[in-house]
Amino acid sequence: SMSPVYESSRTAIQGTQASLILFDMTHLQDGCPSGQTNSRRKMIQTRFPSDLCTAIRLVETGGHPDPANAVGAAGEIGPLQITEEAWIDAIENDPSIGGEYGHCRGLEYSQRIFVAYLDRYVEIDGPDEVLARTWNGGPYGASRASTAPYWGRVKEALDLVRDSQMDRESRGKGDQQGE
């Protein structure tokens, strides 16, 4: 069973999504461009590629010699292993992305799909665990026991990504001090 905290969080998230959808529809009905939605999308897209996205890419295709052409057991494609169903969900959430499913082989395009998909189902600035488990298990993936091992692998990769960034930053500071 789900914890009361998770249930209330999920209800709040669903409420937020419902009001965003209503906001979009109101603006469309008024014939006004929903500029606020577009600026929100730009803000969301600038948060990525994030450490989390990099970690998920490492878990999904890190060992593959040609990640762009990697194909998963369920037919997922590209560096983030995107299913056609996830691509459709993402495009429905943010039609401004455009393109076609085959474009998911490209890293930059995949990252935009990743963001739009997650933004459809969870708070995009929510905890990394919720984002990763949703990416792996679908709209309710964060509450599925089956996604816990995936999160464990992503968390390990995330720690590696963040450690390597700190190493680079500390080396950069050391270089500046030497000048």
Side-chain angles (χ1 to χ4, degrees), residues 1 4 19 32 35-36 56 64-65 70 81 86-87 109 116 118 129 134 149 160 165 170 178:
S1 79
S19 46
C32 301
Q36 194 167 343
I56 286 176
H64 196 282
Q81 292 293 278
W87 173 76
Y109 186 84
L118 290 174
E129 180 176 0
T134 301
L160 288 171
Q165 281 179 347
S170 63

Side-chain angles (χ1 to χ4, degrees), residues 2-173:
M2 288 181 249
S3 76
V5 171
Y6 177 78
E7 272 303 319
S8 65
S9 298
R10 195 173 82 176
T11 304
I13 288 168
Q14 287 169 338
T16 303
Q17 287 175 329
S19 46
L20 284 171
I21 291 164
L22 286 173
F23 174 81
D24 275 357
M25 292 177 83
T26 308
H27 279 284
L28 291 173
Q29 288 164 353
D30 291 347
C32 301
S34 52
Q36 194 167 343
T37 303
N38 291 336
S39 64
R40 180 176 172 277
R41 284 200 180 112
K42 283 192 183 95
M43 181 273 297
I44 289 167
Q45 290 289 351
T46 57
R47 182 174 180 256
F48 290 88
S50 68
D51 299 348
L52 178 65
C53 198
T54 302
I56 286 176
R57 182 171 51 85
L58 289 171
V59 168
E60 294 286 0
T61 54
H64 196 282
D66 183 10
N69 290 308
V71 178
E76 315 93 325
I77 63 169
L80 295 177
Q81 292 293 278
I82 299 171
T83 62
E84 192 162 8
E85 292 80 8
W87 173 76
I88 290 167
D89 282 357
I91 292 294
E92 285 176 353
N93 188 45
D94 184 355
S96 73
I97 294 172
E100 52 194 53
Y101 178 56
H103 293 149
C104 292
R105 290 187 181 90
L107 181 58
E108 197 174 313
Y109 186 84
S110 292
Q111 288 166 336
R112 295 185 71 200
I113 295 299
F114 174 81
V115 173
Y117 178 85
L118 290 174
D119 180 54
R120 180 173 186 157
Y121 296 112
V122 293
E123 287 292 328
I124 196 69
D125 56 358
D128 288 335
E129 180 176 0
V130 171
L131 297 173
R133 292 178 72 178
T134 301
W135 181 249
N136 179 243
Y140 303 104
S143 62
R144 292 192 172 130
S146 61
T147 63
Y150 180 81
W151 165 241
R153 293 193 304 276
V154 170
K155 186 170 180 347
E156 269 183 55
L158 197 52
D159 290 342
L160 288 171
V161 168
R162 289 181 175 155
D163 287 349
S164 71
Q165 281 179 347
M166 286 195 307
D167 288 348
R168 278 197 305 275
E169 285 168 15
S170 63
R171 278 199 307 271
K173 286 176 187 156

